[in-house]
């Protein structure tokens, strides 16, 4: 073992602004704001340093579950994918809806392209039509996508679709454990890899987007090269993993998950294995864990400065952890 994280003095900021299970947590580029979403349709924004809630983004009517959000480079636009068959762009400061696109099925993922001119919305399959990624022009008022990337027939449902470096590739994960790399210009699948047989619920890029980590329900998370889709490191745990993130400051990754939400009511928080697990990025060894949630962790993310992280759980709570000085003295 190469040392353990000292968590005894860590005092998380516990935030309650949702009345349902959280689905996504997202820092802006500067790391001063945290956006959170839940299955009841609410989007909240918080100050990351003290947890003060700035406001809520309301779509009106009866909103569907918001599955993912993404914020642009200048933090003035927020994109959201909702299961009410809608993709939206919000003005971050005013809360006004700038764009709204109607889809044929629920939207499960969203990603804003570098340059802030286009957004990719991942649409769920419906009928005989498989999942697809619809790319919209943010600056245009057209309700039609400028491009549609269709998954192959028979392909398992896609769970995430993220723009890669320079918007040249679109990385897609599926419920069947496959990772697909699409050329954005042509819409063709140029690379495919299937190292696992269970769902990959989340993928997260490193700061430079040259690496990404894929969380998997088979109790592992794998670090991949974005260009080649070659697996570089695998982090093994004893619980299904719902989300993972790469530290921009230390050689660490953090994994979050836990047993199925259906069994949570009959299990204690310790037995349910709802802690956030820290692993050394190079040596693949566990270096520590942070508890607190009373249900599975559904989403987590490092602050872009690497000095804190946020987690969102099935219990409806956000927990913002600012690292103690002991964290930075760990062996590298």
């Amino acid at each position: 073992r190469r040392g353990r994280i000292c968590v005894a003095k860590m005092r998380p900021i516990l935030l309650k602004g949702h009345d349902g299970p959280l689905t996504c947590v997202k820092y802006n580029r500067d790391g001063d704001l945290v956006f959170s979403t839940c299955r009841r349709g609410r989007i909240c924004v918080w100050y990351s340093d003290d947890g003060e809630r700035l406001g809520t983004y309301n779509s009106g009517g009866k909103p569907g579950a918001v599955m993912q959000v993404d914020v642009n480079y200048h933090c003035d636009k927020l994109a959201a994918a909702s299961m009410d068959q809608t993709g939206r762009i919000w003005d971050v400061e005013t809360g006004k809806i700038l764009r709204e696109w109607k889809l044929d099925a629920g939207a499960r993922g969203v990603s804003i392209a570098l340059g802030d001119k286009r957004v990719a919305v991942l649409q769920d399959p419906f009928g005989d039509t498989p999942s697809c990624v619809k790319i919209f022009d943010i600056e245009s008022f057209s309700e039609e996508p400028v491009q549609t990337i269709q998954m192959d027939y028979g392909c398992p449902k896609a769970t995430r679709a993220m723009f890669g470096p320079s918007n040249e590739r679109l990385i897609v994960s599926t419920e069947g454990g496959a990772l697909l790399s699409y050329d954005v210009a042509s819409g063709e699948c140029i690379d495919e890899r299937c190292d696992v047989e269970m769902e990959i619920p989340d993928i997260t890029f490193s700061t430079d987007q040259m690496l990404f980590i894929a969380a998997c329900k088979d109790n592992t998370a794998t670090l991949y090269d974005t260009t080649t889709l070659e697996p570089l490191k695998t982090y093994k745990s004893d619980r299904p993993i719902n989300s993972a993130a790469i530290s921009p400051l230390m050689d660490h990754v953090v994994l979050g998950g836990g047993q199925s939400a259906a069994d949570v009511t009959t299990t204690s928080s310790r037995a349910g294995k709802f802690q956030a697990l820290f692993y050394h990025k190079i040596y693949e060894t566990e270096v520590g864990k942070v508890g607190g949630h009373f249900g599975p962790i559904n989403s987590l993310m490092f602050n872009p400065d690497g000095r804190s992280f946020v987690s969102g759980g099935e219990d409806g709570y956000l927990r913002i952890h600012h690292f103690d000085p002991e964290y930075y003295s760990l062996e590298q």
Side-chain angles (χ1 to χ4, degrees):
R1 314 294 286 185
R2 299 182 61 84
R4 284 192 171 275
I5 295 176
C6 177
V7 298
K9 298 179 182 179
M10 287 180 63
R11 294 292 183 266
I13 302 173
L14 186 63
L15 306 178
K16 179 65 172 178
H18 297 279
D19 54 0
L22 269 72
T23 54
C24 179
V25 292
K26 180 76 176 182
Y27 281 102
N28 66 336
R29 181 178 62 90
D30 294 328
D32 59 334
L33 298 179
V34 176
F35 299 88
S36 60
T37 67
C38 78
R39 293 188 181 277
R40 298 293 177 88
R42 177 177 293 179
I43 305 174
C44 294
V45 58
W46 320 76
Y47 278 125
S48 63
D49 57 347
D50 59 6
E52 178 185 353
R53 185 163 72 170
L54 287 172
T56 302
Y57 298 91
N58 296 313
S59 59
K62 186 177 180 181
V66 180
M67 303 306 294
Q68 191 181 23
V69 291
D70 194 16
V71 61
N72 70 341
Y73 185 86
H74 297 289
C75 194
D76 58 2
K77 293 182 178 65
L78 179 73
S82 175
M83 294 306 289
D84 61 3
Q85 303 183 13
T86 307
R88 295 183 178 91
I89 298 288
W90 308 77
D91 185 293
V92 170
E93 184 177 1
T94 66
K96 179 182 177 181
I97 297 178
L98 302 177
R99 301 287 185 275
E100 186 171 272
W101 300 289
K102 292 297 183 181
L103 307 174
D104 299 317
R108 187 163 296 275
V110 66
S111 177
I112 297 177
L114 182 67
D116 301 342
K117 293 184 178 180
R118 294 190 173 184
V119 59
V121 181
L122 175 62
Q123 177 181 287
D124 270 356
F126 69 98
D128 295 330
T129 305
S131 298
C132 68
V133 179
K134 295 188 175 182
I135 300 176
F136 295 93
D137 188 337
I138 296 177
E139 299 179 344
S140 169
F141 287 94
S142 172
E143 296 184 359
E144 297 301 318
V146 296
Q147 185 180 1
T148 299
I149 299 177
Q150 197 80 40
M151 309 289 114
D152 291 336
Y153 284 94
C155 180
K157 181 167 67 176
T159 57
R160 285 290 184 264
M162 309 284 285
F163 278 111
S166 303
N167 304 334
E168 294 177 354
R169 291 191 175 199
L170 197 71
I171 307 298
V172 177
S173 61
T174 72
E175 284 189 346
L179 290 169
L180 310 170
S181 179
Y182 287 87
D183 180 80
V184 174
S186 66
E188 297 294 324
C189 182
I190 57 177
D191 210 347
E192 180 178 358
R193 190 165 192 101
C194 190
D195 298 304
V196 296
E197 297 181 355
M198 298 184 71
E199 178 185 354
I200 298 177
D202 194 22
I203 55 176
T204 305
F205 283 110
S206 60
T207 304
D208 60 6
Q209 293 190 314
M210 299 312 294
L211 303 172
F212 70 89
I213 189 167
C216 185
K217 294 286 192 179
D218 70 349
N219 301 358
T220 67
T222 304
L223 189 69
Y224 287 91
D225 182 288
T226 303
T227 304
T228 64
L229 290 190
E230 288 295 323
L232 303 176
K233 300 290 179 180
T234 299
Y235 312 99
K236 300 179 181 179
S237 72
D238 58 353
R239 67 205 67 185
I241 303 301
N242 296 328
S243 186
I246 304 169
S247 172
L249 181 64
M250 305 284 282
D251 281 330
H252 293 158
V253 299
V254 61
L255 281 56
Q259 72 176 106
S260 170
D263 302 325
V264 168
T265 55
T266 60
T267 306
S268 69
S269 60
R270 183 181 297 272
K273 303 174 181 177
F274 306 137
Q275 304 97 332
L277 306 176
F278 285 77
Y279 286 78
H280 196 285
K281 185 171 70 174
I282 307 301
Y283 301 111
E284 304 175 339
T285 56
E286 183 182 336
V287 297
K289 58 182 65 175
V290 178
H293 281 286
F294 293 95
I297 295 175
N298 291 333
S299 180
L300 44 74
M301 184 179 181
F302 276 105
N303 191 306
D305 66 8
R307 299 185 179 277
S308 61
F309 79 99
V310 62
S311 58
E314 191 77 16
D315 54 8
Y317 285 91
L318 280 82
R319 299 176 70 90
I320 300 177
H321 298 264
H322 293 275
F323 293 121
D324 292 330
E326 290 87 346
Y327 173 76
Y328 309 107
S329 63
L330 285 175
E331 291 180 274
Q332 294 296 299

